[in-house]
Amino acid sequence: MNTTNDPKTILDPAQALDDRFCDAIRAVAPDLPESQVKAHIGPSRQPKLGDFQSNCAMPIAKQIGMKPRELAAKIVEAIDVSGIAQPLTEESIAGPGFINVSLLQEALGTALDAMDSDQLGISVPADPKTIIVDVCGVNLAKQMHVGHLRSTVIGDAIARIQERLGHEVKRQSHVGDWGLPIAMVVEQLSVMEAEGTDISKVSLAELNTIYKRAQAKCKAETRALEIIKKVGGHVKAEIELSERIADAEAAMEKSKSRLVALQSGDADSVRIWQLIYDITMTACLATCKRLHANITDEHSAGESTYRDELAPLVQDLIDRNIAVEDDGALVVRCEGIKEPTIIRKRDGGFLYATTDLAAIKRRVGKLGGDEVVYCVDSRQSLHFKQVFAAAHKAGYDKTASGSDATLVHAMFGTILGEDNKPLKSRSGENLNLSDLLDEAVMRASASVAEKNPEMPQDERDAISEAVAMAAVKYADLSTERIKDYAFRFDTMLAFEGDTGPYMLYAIARIKNMLRKAEEKGVDLNAAADAPFSLNEPAERAMALMVLRYPSILSAAGSSHEPHRLCGYLYELASLFAKFYEQCPVLKEGVEASQRDGRLRLSMLALRVLEDSCKTLGIPTVDRM
RNA sequence: GCCCCGAUAGCUCAGCUGGAUAGAGCAGCGGACUUCUAAUCCGCAGGUCGUAGGUUCGAAUCCUACUCGGGGUGCCA
């Protein structure tokens, strides 16, 4: 195995061809501005015609007023592809001016050699950035529901991709741990404690119930009363409702004063708040761990941590005339956005925009973020548009080097049920995430048991768990994040086609092949240094796909779109399946040199498959 | 009203940022297992890329308008 990681030793054929084509373009069209010198190299659309194609002739011909095919002919004549590809001729030109290129087998082998390194051809960036990724964002006293699945799974994948590309990543979970709703729960628990309940023993599920009860208790049904008065309902109903409203108003008052106590650091309130915090976070972080999302306590940066930063921030904006009063509220107006950003309510309270501004200030200023990526529901797009603009106006997005940090809302769509409506439980409530995962594991377990009746229970359980998480995560990651998608157990766990289990199966098959090889006494270390076997179309196709890994990862990174990596993973896994059918490795009659060459190709594909899964946060298994 | 997002095969989705005859998976039909793991592979069939214009050698992709669906829209988060 090649252990060097010097970019110069890595011969990416696409890159090498790009260079050669650019040289040829410069020779043929010397007056063309350098910015227009582009080779447009990509994998061939029609594998029969070659491995790569250049689409450069058409746009450049237009630019310099020449016929595309004529220009293509000149490029083909001028280009030197020796050592990389078969010589180009008139025959290489097709259609309006596509230039088809077939790689030399030696060049393909050399490229694979170079890729077969620790880093799999991914070089350290020249300018590593610090990238903040806003993930997860749970709320105190609430269980994680399906809504948190995507911000956790996609957010973590976005973070992992950046880490894999060599950037410094700091995850931030913007926990909803502050404000009136939490104060309501604190108030409730305080009452329960006074009545003799041992509140240190409550579970998150119970807290969730208490949260809902507290909400309901404080909700005044003033509109209902207005309606009854208008229509002239029963006097008795009117009185009852009035009483209920009075109760709600009283409860609200208590909650509000509890909030004041909490904010001013009242010891008893803070003690109860901390209890709620610990119960919630213990459960939620356990779910993150179960989802193989690298989100831990150190990534939690709740709204409460900004509480002392809000007033000074608002004062700063007032002092610099960035925020102005409007109808009693304090707002920031930004060019191009009609809706002003409200940062202080008429009653003096702050809003989530205020906290998010403080978060940007901290993330860029203190944490040194060159880029801040928010993996949050698309429904918040206006909010982030406002907050980003306001932060820019205030200069809170200025990095230490004086440039503006890139603020990105990597939004995602809603998870729908079979009925194409947002996924809810039968009673219309948000679906609990742990329950959903449990069901996925249960269903996976049935299939695993069916396929492996002999397997010991504990191994079967471990595999079912991994398969289920892979299935759920892959389903969530593999479509464009901006789109809504329907959550279907049957589809994601079907183990057929473009699913998580299919990827795991490809990996398990290669691992099984390697185990079998060792059983047969094949020296895998020797195979790891053997020349790649590249004669069969299936071998070449897989090899070419392996080589695309770095560029795919880079594209997934710059767009913050993990689904691109999923698409690649599926293509590579299915090319392996074809290779596996068509190219025997350990079967009788395969010569040792070919066997080793195919083993090496399989081992490299395995490493790319595993690296892709790891970069997406998808667990893998050794057998299934 | 205004703003944002989506629309591709019967269903679920890709389409590498403007390139060749638009691709997969399910479902349907027909093949391949005393297996290097058939949780697989091969073949067939299936499309007016929401509609109408525009930009150009070339548009699912870019621009405009419209239709349908979803979401948001000043003091919740």
Side-chain angles (χ1 to χ4, degrees):
Chain A
M1 189 197 291
N2 183 346
T3 51
T4 62
N5 190 31
D6 178 358
K8 281 173 194 149
T9 69
I10 294 171
L11 181 71
D12 175 5
Q15 188 54 54
L17 282 172
D18 200 288
D19 292 345
R20 302 285 180 100
F21 266 90
C22 286
D23 287 345
I25 291 166
R26 287 188 198 96
V28 171
D31 297 333
L32 192 69
E34 187 57 28
S35 64
Q36 304 290 322
V37 178
K38 285 179 185 161
H40 290 104
I41 297 286
S44 180
R45 291 272 169 179
Q46 305 191 4
K48 282 172 202 162
L49 301 177
D51 301 320
F52 292 93
Q53 67 182 59
S54 166
N55 302 336
C56 69
M58 287 80 78
I60 292 173
K62 185 172 153 190
Q63 194 64 211
I64 61 176
M66 196 188 267
K67 285 184 179 169
R69 281 198 73 110
E70 255 174 52
L71 178 66
K74 289 203 167 191
I75 291 173
V76 161
E77 199 183 336
I79 200 165
D80 172 20
V81 291
S82 59
I84 303 174
Q86 284 163 24
L88 300 186
T89 65
E90 282 281 341
E91 306 282 294
S92 312
I93 304 169
F98 300 105
I99 304 172
N100 293 307
V101 183
S102 291
L103 235 46
L104 292 175
Q105 201 160 120
E106 305 92 86
L108 187 53
T110 310
L112 288 169
D113 275 335
M115 171 120 188
D116 196 3
S117 66
D118 292 343
Q119 287 306 308
L120 291 169
I122 293 149
S123 47
V124 179
D127 56 335
K129 290 180 186 157
T130 297
I131 301 177
I132 315 291
V133 184
D134 187 286
V135 294
C136 192
V138 295
N139 297 303
L140 283 209
K142 284 166 107 172
Q143 292 170 302
M144 283 176 91
H145 55 83
V146 283
H148 295 113
L149 179 67
R150 305 206 79 188
S151 59
T152 301
V153 168
I154 300 172
D156 183 55
I158 286 173
R160 283 170 185 264
I161 290 168
Q162 297 303 336
E163 285 168 336
R164 183 65 185 88
L165 287 168
H167 298 292
E168 186 179 347
V169 171
K170 293 177 180 172
R171 290 168 176 76
Q172 294 278 286
S173 181
H174 199 74
V175 180
D177 64 355
W178 207 238
L180 192 59
I182 309 301
M184 289 178 186
V185 183
V186 172
E187 175 63 23
Q188 278 288 308
L189 284 182
S190 175
V191 171
M192 286 169 66
E193 190 173 40
E195 287 167 355
T197 307
D198 181 358
I199 58 169
S200 66
K201 296 253 160 54
V202 290
S203 67
L204 180 54
E206 287 164 329
L207 270 186
N208 211 346
T209 310
I210 294 165
Y211 180 97
K212 277 182 268 186
R213 203 165 59 214
Q215 287 266 315
K217 208 170 174 182
C218 293
K219 195 177 168 191
E221 296 155 273
T222 42
R223 278 196 61 198
L225 183 61
E226 276 167 25
I227 291 166
I228 286 184
K229 276 185 175 167
K230 214 180 225 172
V231 219
H234 291 293
V235 180
K236 199 177 163 190
E238 202 177 308
I239 292 171
E240 243 176 52
L241 202 52
S242 299
E243 281 172 0
R244 286 231 299 274
I245 290 170
D247 284 350
E249 279 168 356
M252 184 61 98
E253 278 315 305
K254 279 187 178 171
S255 295
K256 279 186 176 172
S257 55
R258 179 61 74 173
L259 180 61
V260 172
L262 187 60
Q263 283 170 340
S264 58
D266 166 60
D268 203 46
S269 302
V270 170
R271 176 181 59 85
I272 298 174
W273 176 88
Q274 188 66 49
L275 184 69
I276 299 169
Y277 187 93
D278 293 343
I279 292 168
T280 308
M281 294 314 287
T282 302
C284 289
L285 292 178
T287 302
C288 287
K289 192 175 179 191
R290 186 180 189 194
L291 278 168
H292 299 264
N294 181 13
I295 296 167
T296 65
D297 195 39
E298 65 173 306
H299 306 122
S300 297
E303 292 174 339
S304 65
T305 66
Y306 296 99
R307 59 178 175 254
D308 298 330
E309 298 166 22
L310 302 183
L313 179 139
V314 167
Q315 192 56 51
D316 175 49
L317 294 175
I318 294 171
D319 293 346
R320 291 155 61 211
N321 285 324
I322 292 165
V324 293
E325 275 213 22
D326 189 333
D327 198 19
L330 194 67
V331 305
V332 178
R333 291 182 193 281
C334 299
E335 194 147 349
I337 304 174
K338 206 177 71 181
E339 299 86 346
T341 314
I342 303 175
I343 59 168
R344 195 180 64 196
K345 294 190 283 185
R346 193 189 299 210
D347 69 5
F350 301 129
L351 299 100
Y352 71 140
T354 327
T355 313
D356 270 328
L357 275 175
I360 290 174
K361 200 177 171 193
R362 179 192 294 176
R363 290 167 180 189
V364 176
K366 277 206 184 111
L367 301 178
D370 298 301
E371 187 170 351
V372 188
V373 184
Y374 288 81
C375 189
V376 182
D377 196 295
S378 65
R379 278 174 292 201
Q380 309 231 6
S381 68
L382 174 60
H383 166 70
F384 282 113
K385 200 169 146 192
Q386 291 177 313
V387 170
F388 291 172
H392 182 66
K393 192 172 183 179
Y396 293 159
D397 59 347
K398 275 266 182 292
T399 65
S401 64
S403 59
D404 293 342
T406 310
L407 306 174
V408 185
H409 180 198
M411 61 179 114
F412 53 79
T414 309
I415 300 182
L416 308 174
E418 303 273 356
D419 56 357
N420 276 347
K421 287 181 185 158
L423 191 59
K424 302 265 176 175
S425 72
R426 227 164 280 157
S427 55
E429 290 174 348
N430 282 326
L431 216 52
N432 183 257
L433 183 52
S434 306
D435 295 346
L436 200 74
L437 297 178
D438 285 342
E439 185 168 351
V441 173
M442 226 177 63
R443 289 173 181 244
S445 179
S447 305
V448 173
E450 188 192 323
K451 301 285 177 191
N452 309 281
E454 310 289 309
M455 191 177 274
Q457 184 72 38
D458 55 343
E459 187 180 2
R460 205 162 73 193
D461 288 348
I463 290 173
S464 306
E465 176 77 21
V467 167
M469 295 308 130
V472 171
K473 293 189 79 173
Y474 187 86
D476 198 271
L477 289 168
S478 60
T479 60
E480 262 184 300
R481 58 171 158 69
I482 199 162
K483 290 185 181 166
D484 297 346
Y485 80 95
F487 193 94
R488 294 192 173 90
F489 281 119
D490 292 340
T491 313
M492 64 180 78
L493 282 160
F495 300 165
E496 281 152 2
D498 191 5
T499 65
Y502 181 85
M503 314 305 153
L504 266 46
Y505 183 58
I507 287 170
R509 280 172 119 185
I510 302 179
K511 290 197 164 185
N512 190 59
M513 191 167 89
L514 298 179
R515 274 194 302 270
K516 274 267 158 61
E518 281 191 308
E519 280 169 22
K520 285 192 164 192
V522 176
D523 182 353
L524 287 181
N525 286 326
D529 285 326
F532 289 98
S533 177
L534 297 167
N535 291 308
E536 291 295 317
E539 294 168 334
R540 282 180 70 88
M542 188 162 80
L544 286 164
M545 190 56 73
V546 162
L547 291 176
R548 290 179 62 188
Y549 185 50
S551 70
I552 295 288
L553 198 60
S554 159
S558 56
S559 59
H560 301 297
E561 291 181 341
H563 85 281
R564 293 180 187 234
L565 186 50
C566 290
Y568 172 81
L569 187 52
Y570 178 59
E571 284 188 89
L572 183 57
S574 83
L575 283 175
F576 170 75
K578 291 186 199 343
F579 161 84
Y580 190 82
E581 296 287 331
Q582 289 162 29
C583 303
V585 181
L586 302 173
K587 285 182 179 170
E588 291 302 313
V590 180
E591 281 187 33
S593 62
Q594 183 162 63
R595 179 199 66 201
D596 287 357
R598 286 178 174 170
L599 276 172
R600 186 170 179 206
L601 192 55
S602 303
M603 285 190 276
L604 182 56
L606 171 64
R607 290 178 54 218
V608 174
L609 289 170
E610 286 186 309
D611 199 63
S612 301
C613 282
K614 196 179 166 197
T615 303
L616 287 164
I618 291 174
T620 59
V621 293
D622 290 340
R623 67 182 88 224
M624 63 188 282

